[in-house]
Amino acid sequence: MSETTREQIRDVIGAHANLPVDIRELGDAADLFAAGMTSFASVNVMLGLEDTFDVEFPDTMLKRSVFASVDAILEALEALGVALV
Amino acid sequence: MGSEVRAVSAEQVALRDRLIDAGHLIPSGVDGVYGHSAAFEDLREALGTRISAEARTRGATRLTFPPVLPVRQLEATGYLANMPHLAGTVFSFDGDDAAAAVQGTRASAHEDWSEFQAPTGVALMPAACYPVYPALARRGPLPAAGAFIDAGGAWVFRHEPSTDPARRQIFHQHELVRAGTPETVLQWRAQWAQLGLDLLTGLGLEARLDRANDPFFGRRGRLLAANQRAQELKLELLVPIAGPEPTACASFNHHLDHFSSTFAITGAGDDPVHTACLGFGHERIVLALLARHGLDPDRWPAEVQDRLGAPR
């Protein structure tokens, strides 16, 4: 069984967000910036999501709130036409 | 926002031409690279002296650095990813007698001779505060009150040629740097935002403070800029120089722990160390004064001359 979209998002965050805590300890609504993700790390998360889901975030989505939580990222990917699993 | 080339207004070009005609700017043939008249330099030096005096009375220690930075330090800051379009690295000849001869021949004909050049390990200074952070780290843990450094008016390079006389490729940036607890640094930035505003308005300039972002490159830059604005990490003092858009003459930058973690600046206790810097653009402020009060400083209001401490 392949990963769910949420699990894939969590894998990208785990690989790129450089969080001082384990992503598994954070809920889907938890604020990743409050958990210690820096602005520079959020750029790597953005690029990691683009690679994983084969999408390109438009300029209007290149803002802090879009990458602030697993839920926010899921919502953005859905808006870009990613089929959620 | 981002790395787009900035449009230049007719008023900006007209001001540049007036400054060249008056002898204040000496054109080099390359946009954004100028010599200065004695009167221009007197004003710039008076401004630098005034800023350093304000900093010294508030406990700043003066340090001076050359206008080149070890490339390893530039690499460590992320500048080459975040602002690659502005960086200038120094290259020098690397070859034998035959290569030198070919390079000389091509150079005489103004052809491409770059293949004979190799990196030297230094870059032109991108921001005058950059050498301060590793210098602070070398001292060991900060004292309880933190550190306050005046790096003086230092040459910095940004590769953005323009016919706007306020957008230079090489200019003097007067950086003040504060390192300490998050609370100390935030209070310092608020204090100096007001001091900077008072300094410029006291010289008769219509300055105002506004939220800003750095000219980060490309798509990653758009996200970094949005983050910077959302967190209010960068403020600028905007002053009219020429045309409808005011020009940033000073910026107040809160780095959080970016430089303290990069260069391992540690504190006296367990509190995290944050840093902030304040950069005054010497040439831009002089240009704003010349545009506001006229191209002959001898005829400026006495009050402005006195406040600047300019020689008369």
Side-chain angles (χ1 to χ4, degrees):
Chain A
M1 184 61 196
S2 62
E3 288 186 300
T4 67
T5 308
R6 280 180 197 279
E7 286 166 345
Q8 288 179 287
I9 293 171
R10 285 172 167 273
D11 287 345
V12 171
I13 294 169
H16 297 292
N18 202 19
L19 291 171
V21 295
D22 192 320
I23 180 63
R24 286 173 299 193
E25 294 173 19
L26 298 176
D28 286 344
D31 186 330
L32 299 171
F33 291 103
M37 180 170 70
T38 66
S39 179
F40 296 106
S42 73
V43 170
N44 294 331
V45 169
M46 183 263 284
L47 296 172
L49 291 166
E50 291 191 339
D51 273 351
T52 300
F53 294 99
D54 194 23
V55 292
E56 184 171 310
F57 291 99
D59 284 359
T60 52
M61 293 176 96
L62 296 178
K63 56 189 182 185
R64 192 174 175 83
S65 57
V66 170
F67 304 95
S69 67
V70 174
D71 280 346
I73 292 168
L74 189 80
E75 190 181 322
L77 292 175
E78 193 173 14
L80 289 177
V82 172
L84 306 187
V85 292
Chain B
M1 192 195 301
S3 54
E4 294 84 1
V5 175
R6 292 170 203 249
V8 178
S9 72
E11 294 94 333
Q12 288 166 336
V13 175
L15 177 64
R16 185 186 71 151
D17 291 345
R18 283 175 58 218
L19 290 161
I20 290 171
D21 287 345
H24 286 312
L25 297 190
I26 303 159
S28 67
V30 172
D31 285 337
V33 180
Y34 303 100
H36 291 152
S37 66
F40 192 108
E41 276 304 286
D42 284 347
L43 293 169
R44 194 187 67 70
E45 286 172 5
L47 178 70
T49 301
R50 171 76 195 277
I51 294 167
S52 285
E54 297 280 356
R56 191 169 56 247
T57 61
R58 291 169 178 82
T61 302
R62 178 72 188 266
L63 297 177
T64 303
F65 297 94
V68 291
L69 185 73
V71 162
R72 290 186 69 86
Q73 286 180 17
L74 190 64
E75 291 166 349
T77 63
Y79 193 88
L80 292 165
N82 299 330
M83 283 177 265
H85 56 305
L86 299 180
T89 42
V90 179
F91 286 66
S92 190
F93 177 71
D94 181 23
D96 57 14
D97 285 351
V102 178
Q103 174 174 277
T105 303
R106 289 192 195 167
S108 300
H110 302 299
E111 292 170 355
D112 182 8
W113 42 273
S114 57
E115 70 178 90
F116 305 108
Q117 299 283 302
T120 60
V122 295
L124 298 178
M125 192 63 70
C129 65
Y130 274 30
V132 173
Y133 308 108
L136 284 177
R138 281 176 59 87
R139 296 176 167 186
L142 295 173
F148 180 8
I149 303 298
D150 170 12
W155 286 111
V156 297
F157 175 85
R158 307 269 169 91
H159 182 231
E160 45 179 355
S162 170
T163 50
D164 173 2
R167 187 161 300 285
R168 306 291 187 88
Q169 295 204 67
I170 186 148
F171 54 96
H172 289 89
Q173 189 181 51
H174 196 143
E175 285 267 23
L176 308 177
V177 177
R178 189 76 166 100
T181 65
E183 189 181 342
T184 301
V185 166
L186 261 183
Q187 284 176 356
W188 179 86
R189 190 178 73 150
Q191 177 197 21
W192 274 91
Q194 188 61 48
L195 285 168
L197 190 62
D198 292 347
L199 175 69
L200 297 189
T201 54
L203 296 172
L205 300 175
E206 293 170 22
R208 67 179 168 85
L209 197 63
D210 202 359
R211 198 188 291 201
N213 60 265
D214 282 310
F216 294 116
F217 181 77
R219 296 183 64 246
R220 60 181 288 128
R222 289 195 179 85
L223 181 54
L224 290 174
N227 281 338
Q228 200 178 26
R229 282 185 171 266
Q231 293 174 280
E232 287 198 46
L233 295 180
K234 186 179 189 75
L235 303 172
E236 287 179 339
L237 278 175
L238 301 172
V239 180
I241 295 181
E245 294 291 325
T247 300
C249 285
S251 72
F252 308 80
N253 306 287
H254 190 199
H255 315 122
L256 302 172
D257 68 347
H258 178 60
F259 288 111
S260 53
S261 62
T262 298
F263 292 108
I265 303 172
T266 55
D270 294 334
D271 278 338
V273 173
H274 282 185
T275 62
C277 71
L278 156 54
F280 287 100
H282 275 186
E283 282 85 353
R284 285 186 174 182
I285 297 172
V286 172
L287 288 175
L289 290 166
L290 290 166
R292 174 77 179 82
H293 300 301
L295 299 194
D296 182 359
D298 289 340
R299 301 174 67 178
W300 286 5
E303 184 182 76
V304 173
Q305 296 192 19
D306 289 344
R307 286 196 177 149
L308 193 54
R312 277 199 263 175

